Amino acid sequence: MIQAIVPAAGKGERLGSKVEKPYVLLAGIPLIVRTLKMLESVREIDSIILVVSRKWREKVQKKILERYQLKRVTAVVRGGATRMESVYAGLSSLDSKTRWVLVHDAARPLVRGDEVSRLIQSARRTGAVCPGVIPKDTIKKVDGKNWVRETLNRQELRVILTPQVFRRHILMKAYQRAFTQGYSGTDDASLVERMGIKVKVVEGDRENIKITTPEDLLLAEIILKRRLSQADFFVLP
Ligand code: C5P
């Protein structure tokens, strides 16, 4: 059994919106609805655990899940102060039969179903996968005073996206160890890597952008418009 955990408890302050990021409208539909609908279209995923802020814990059922007929979200749990705490809240409410866990940021509504399926297939072969793309820009390391220390080789770098897919027991152990050791990571794979477990990077989709700042919303609307005109994207009311 595969369950998806969708952390959506962040404030999204860099977006500069009064509404919390997951509930901001993207081409007329809340961002979180687009993300969840896309995951619901992936037949390998049995159910979804949605992690929300305290404020939305009560409202999300009526305003989002019922209103947009999201049928495969089987649990709504309250997130924490960090992404790690929020994902761990999701991990703590997995079904006992679940063997594989897929973690996908609510803030990536443009993920495509076939990309998700490809990642799941790859995880079944390797145990732990994340999608990545080669950076377009040159990346330099700098010191505390902004002097360049080193220019990194782009071919050896990957910008890491979600969804990331893991064997349940590996991810659970990785989170528990990270908390015990006081380590904080910005993605799930980094916690698994620290245990000495190999994580495979699979070619990601450059359109699977994370909505962080206002220009990301603009770009996402353009991508959506093009997909709708090509009719390769689900149509929402
Ligand atoms: O902050 P960042 O962009 O890394 O957030 C990635 C995802 O993690 C977002 O979907 C956000 O809602 C979620 N998150 C969360 N709980 C937090 C912080 C972030 O669920 N405390």
Side-chain angles (χ1 to χ4, degrees):
M1 185 163 160
I2 302 182
Q3 280 189 291
I5 295 174
V6 178
K11 290 199 182 77
E13 278 162 351
R14 288 170 287 179
L15 199 58
S17 152
K18 278 202 189 102
V19 182
E20 278 175 66
K21 184 162 73 180
Y23 312 96
V24 160
L25 298 184
L26 173 56
I29 305 278
L31 204 146
I32 183 70
V33 173
R34 293 196 176 277
T35 306
L36 293 171
K37 280 275 181 198
M38 193 44 103
L39 293 177
E40 286 201 347
S41 76
V42 178
R43 68 177 168 73
E44 292 94 332
I45 296 176
D46 294 287
S47 67
I48 302 169
I49 297 171
L50 178 61
V51 187
V52 299
S53 63
R54 187 173 55 85
K55 193 175 139 199
W56 276 86
R57 176 81 177 70
E58 305 300 324
K59 301 195 277 192
V60 82
Q61 187 66 34
K62 266 213 160 57
K63 292 205 164 185
I64 300 289
L65 304 184
E66 283 173 26
R67 177 157 179 214
Y68 293 96
Q69 298 178 18
L70 290 153
K71 299 200 175 75
R72 286 162 75 191
V73 176
T74 52
V76 177
V77 299
R78 186 177 149 184
T82 62
R83 182 186 184 279
M84 265 180 70
E85 283 178 27
S86 294
V87 173
Y88 192 67
L91 283 172
S92 307
S93 58
L94 286 172
D95 191 286
S96 61
K97 293 194 284 295
T98 296
R99 294 288 164 267
W100 294 92
V101 182
L102 176 148
V103 185
H104 183 61
D105 287 338
R108 293 186 188 272
L110 298 183
V111 66
R112 285 194 244 232
D114 55 357
E115 182 183 11
V116 181
S117 297
R118 232 172 0 96
L119 282 155
I120 292 172
Q121 279 165 24
S122 173
R124 285 198 162 118
R125 288 192 299 270
T126 60
V129 297
C130 58
V133 294
I134 296 177
K136 291 180 189 171
D137 302 307
T138 298
I139 313 259
K140 294 184 194 291
K141 267 184 156 175
V142 293
D143 65 17
K145 293 195 168 129
N146 262 358
W147 292 103
V148 174
R149 267 202 196 144
E150 191 187 348
T151 300
L152 302 170
N153 176 1
R154 274 200 306 228
Q155 293 306 317
E156 289 180 8
L157 298 175
R158 297 293 180 273
V159 175
I160 299 299
L161 324 172
T162 69
Q164 302 188 353
V165 190
F166 308 91
R167 270 187 204 286
R168 177 212 188 124
H169 73 269
I170 292 179
L171 191 60
M172 199 66 187
K173 205 185 264 179
Y175 263 83
Q176 284 162 350
R177 191 172 293 185
F179 282 123
T180 310
Q181 297 177 347
Y183 173 79
S184 60
T186 51
D187 77 341
D188 311 289
S190 58
L191 314 187
V192 172
E193 292 150 33
R194 287 184 78 246
M195 296 207 303
I197 291 173
K198 285 185 117 183
V199 178
K200 180 83 173 172
V201 178
V202 172
E203 179 71 29
D205 175 4
R206 288 192 187 273
E207 290 190 2
N208 180 13
I209 58 169
K210 185 161 84 169
I211 309 293
T212 308
T213 53
E215 64 277 9
D216 296 330
L217 264 183
L218 210 63
L219 179 58
E221 297 218 347
I222 293 167
I223 294 172
L224 268 177
K225 218 177 257 176
R226 198 213 57 226
R227 287 187 188 177
L228 282 167
S229 71
Q230 292 176 344
D232 70 340
F233 197 67
F234 57 84
V235 181
L236 284 168

